[in-house]
Amino acid sequence: MKGIGVSPGISIGKAFLLQKKKAALTCILLTTPEEIAAAVEQFDDAITNSVNEIEAIKSNTLSDEDLAILETQIELLSDPEIRDGVVEKIEIEYKNPNDALLEVVDVFVQLFENMDDEYMRARAVDIRDIGNRILKNLNGQTSGNQVFEPDTIIIAEDLSPSDTITMDVSRVTGFATQMGSKTSHAAIIAKSKGIPAVVGCGADLISIKNNDVIILDGSQGLVLINPGQELIDEYTAKRNAYRQHAETLKALRDEPAVTTDGMQVMLSANISGAEDLEDVFDNGGESVGLLRTELLFMNRDNFPTEDEQFEFYKKAALQAKGKPVIVRTIDIGGDKQLPYFNLPAELNPFLGYRAIRICLDRKDLFITQLKAILRASVFGDLKIMFPMISNIQEIRSAKSILGEAKAELLSESISFNPAMKVGIMIEIPSAAITADLLAKEVDFFSIGTNDLCQYTLAVDRMNEQITHLYDPFNPGVLRLISFVIEQGEKHGIHVGMCGEMASDPLATLLLLGMGLKEFSMSAASIPAIKSIIINNSELKAKQIYKNVMEMDSSEDILGYLKGITADE
Ligand code: PEP
Ligand code: MG
């Protein structure tokens, strides 16, 4: 069965079907004022007991993530909106507390489930969870923990944060659920507890029976049911290799990314929102080299308001805990379309109305985003970056609009960081070739090899028929990259790389030899790149760079780089 792998690793064990009794309405109405007063008191007691239960779980909880979830649940329990809603139903509609609570919880669950934001949708589970806890207390039941056999894999429709936080991982070695998403709390907790988990498997999951043998592959999102011995042997070997590899890389987490001869490199991450940051720090990432803001604009019916955007950037600034975050202004167009923006179809969308070109044309949209980023800049170390720059005039225009955004905030007496650093993506060949000129206008460059490669080689990055021509190791592409790094250094501005090439282990030493100071990539790629950096010297990297620049084809270059990697 295939689902969404939300916590990596492999487990082999026996299935336990966790089935929950559905709470039901009793439809019994209260009749006397005494009954009503007693019902309110009973409900308040149930809340107090529920808070006490969560406090008790908190005192046995070690991870920050689990603590944060429990804190949120206590906040929700203390939220007057839920209590007032229930008390109103008791006092005005004469509902008994069980029914009043079920109805109020349903309203809140529906409210959250209908939200656009995936993260907020996943919070519906928290409301249901605390609702169930209050209900148990109302009915005089305790929420004692179930004791499982060793090597149990839990199979359930869905798991609440309480189910997952109290899971004894010395016995429960993983879980699979019918429902759930990447941002559900059950997924977050599984990762923090280090047990594999697969969610969103669909209704068929429930065909699994108690004690069926299960292989759970949380990396691939697979649930194998009653596999043969051959598969069990294969996955046992995979599980052991995974554990060993994870241990080795984990040991690198807190090590600085410094070469054997002392060259310090910054390893950063590309993220799409604050919720990715936990993974970044878990993998030893030091900062954010690229916050793609498109996600905030996608999966919705209209442009996010300044306030909505502000909240998004503020959350990222806060959760980065003072580490730098490069926020890239919207890069829509090309392959990223917004259903509500109605961009006309183009013959060559990647050469068309895209990114900064839209922003300079639609100043209203641009200023809104710039003001939101500026407002969030007081909550952390945010930097701003413009994508798809092809000439100096675009930088000057973008900076002038940034100036207007600042002036508007000043006139509204809203604070921002006036010294926020401004950089550009170098992803169009004309920008790379004029890096010496552009360097005078900005504080930093970030090389976007995904686009730089497609534009330099005239190879559409989305066209499967010509993927063999998409070649970041083409000497032309390498010369552009090398020139940008050299010019950045000459003009004293920071140069990073946030295209996929930064996460390619074959390219690491070559880029290091060119003098690249920051490599930004998906969080999961960081440990492998760090391991190359700390096991090699800058001297060796410079020699590799020199040798590569004398070669005339990517076949030779790749052959040479593969030979070096194989030797290690
Ligand atoms: C790039 O072009 O290398 C880049 C990082 O931007 P995107 O992939 O979002 O176009
Ligand atoms: Mg790009």
Side-chain angles (χ1 to χ4, degrees), residues 292 328 331 336 354 425 427 448-451 461 498-499:
R292 287 187 166 98
R328 181 176 74 180
D331 186 15
K336 300 171 199 141
R354 186 185 163 191
M425 297 271 304
E427 52 186 343
T449 50
N450 308 342
D451 278 315
R461 64 194 256 192
C498 60

Side-chain angles (χ1 to χ4, degrees), residues 83-95:
R83 184 190 177 271
D84 291 353
V86 172
V87 170
E88 200 177 293
K89 283 191 181 290
I90 294 174
E91 290 181 341
I92 298 173
E93 298 174 35
Y94 308 129
K95 299 257 157 102

Side-chain angles (χ1 to χ4, degrees), residues 508-528:
T508 311
L509 292 178
L510 171 61
L511 296 170
L512 204 63
M514 289 182 184
L516 188 70
K517 295 285 184 299
E518 179 183 357
F519 293 63
S520 191
M521 63 201 86
S522 67
S525 304
I526 293 174

Side-chain angles (χ1 to χ4, degrees), residues 19 26 75 89 182 310 379 391 451 468 478 508 516:
Q19 276 160 332
T26 62
E75 264 172 44
K89 283 191 181 290
K182 258 193 162 49
F310 163 65
F379 294 94
N391 62 49
D451 278 315
H468 60 288
L478 294 182
T508 311
L516 188 70

